[in-house]
Amino acid sequence: VLRTIREGLARLSRDVHALSYSLHPSVLEELGLCEALKVECEQLEHTSALRVALTTCDLPVSLPKDIGLCLFRVAQESVRNVVRHASATEVKIHLQHVDRGLEIKVIDDGGGFDPDELLNKARLGHASMEQRVAVLGGRLKIESKPSHGTAVSAWVPLS
């Protein structure tokens, strides 16, 4: 009985740690957006069959916390959707400095979908991404076509 309780507590501790990380990843605050994305990509490769490629270029040395968190969450939600729905084998994440702002793109080679259907259904993840980006004065774009994968891009201005 005592062993079962210890094992249950160990599992609970791991679950609480994972939940805490998913709510606010400490690596994002400590090491920045690029490193947080690298860690997220590594975890994704270990927990799924996806190949993940991350490219970053022309990034400022330090970012405002709200911008880093916004782009991290967009990437995280996009990748979660790939894992849940896309039947993809590969996902590419690009983060770059564009037009006095930062843009993140998440592109998969999965099954895609009809974007018009997304507008007709309430999707919490999509609404959350859109709201995060809009609060910062940015824009979110989702392009997809059945059998041709999906591309999610978010751009936010740098002050």
Side-chain angles (χ1 to χ4, degrees):
V1 172
L2 195 54
R3 182 176 181 205
T4 304
I5 292 172
R6 282 189 189 135
E7 289 171 355
L9 286 173
R11 269 193 318 275
L12 179 62
S13 176
R14 287 189 302 269
D15 291 347
V16 167
H17 179 75
L19 178 61
S20 173
Y21 176 82
S22 71
L23 292 174
H24 192 81
S26 57
V27 71
L28 180 62
E29 206 163 284
E30 293 169 13
L31 300 176
L33 180 58
C34 290
E35 288 302 314
L37 288 171
K38 285 178 189 174
V39 168
E40 194 74 12
C41 290
E42 289 169 5
Q43 287 179 345
L44 181 62
E45 285 188 317
H46 290 300
T47 59
S48 74
L50 282 173
R51 289 186 316 271
V52 183
L54 171 66
T55 56
T56 59
C57 53
D58 300 328
L59 298 179
V61 175
S62 64
L63 295 173
K65 288 181 186 180
D66 55 348
I67 289 175
L69 184 60
C70 172
L71 295 176
F72 180 81
R73 290 292 182 227
V74 167
Q76 192 176 49
E77 180 64 29
S78 298
V79 167
R80 283 184 183 155
N81 286 337
V82 171
V83 170
R84 283 187 205 127
H85 307 293
S87 299
T89 60
E90 183 176 49
V91 64
K92 297 176 183 177
I93 302 172
H94 304 282
L95 178 64
Q96 61 186 347
H97 191 247
V98 175
D99 297 331
R100 291 178 282 161
L102 286 181
E103 178 182 62
I104 192 156
K105 289 184 181 180
V106 179
I107 303 163
D108 71 69
D109 66 351
F113 62 91
D114 181 353
D116 291 336
E117 289 181 17
L118 184 66
L119 299 174
N120 297 328
K121 296 179 182 177
R123 298 283 188 221
L124 184 59
H126 176 256
S128 172
M129 288 190 294
E130 194 140 64
Q131 185 177 30
R132 284 181 182 277
V133 171
V135 163
L136 296 176
R139 58 186 178 267
L140 179 75
K141 183 177 182 181
I142 299 176
E143 298 175 298
S144 189
K145 188 175 177 184
S147 302
H148 290 89
T150 301
V152 175
S153 63
W155 176 88
V156 292
L158 287 171
S159 328

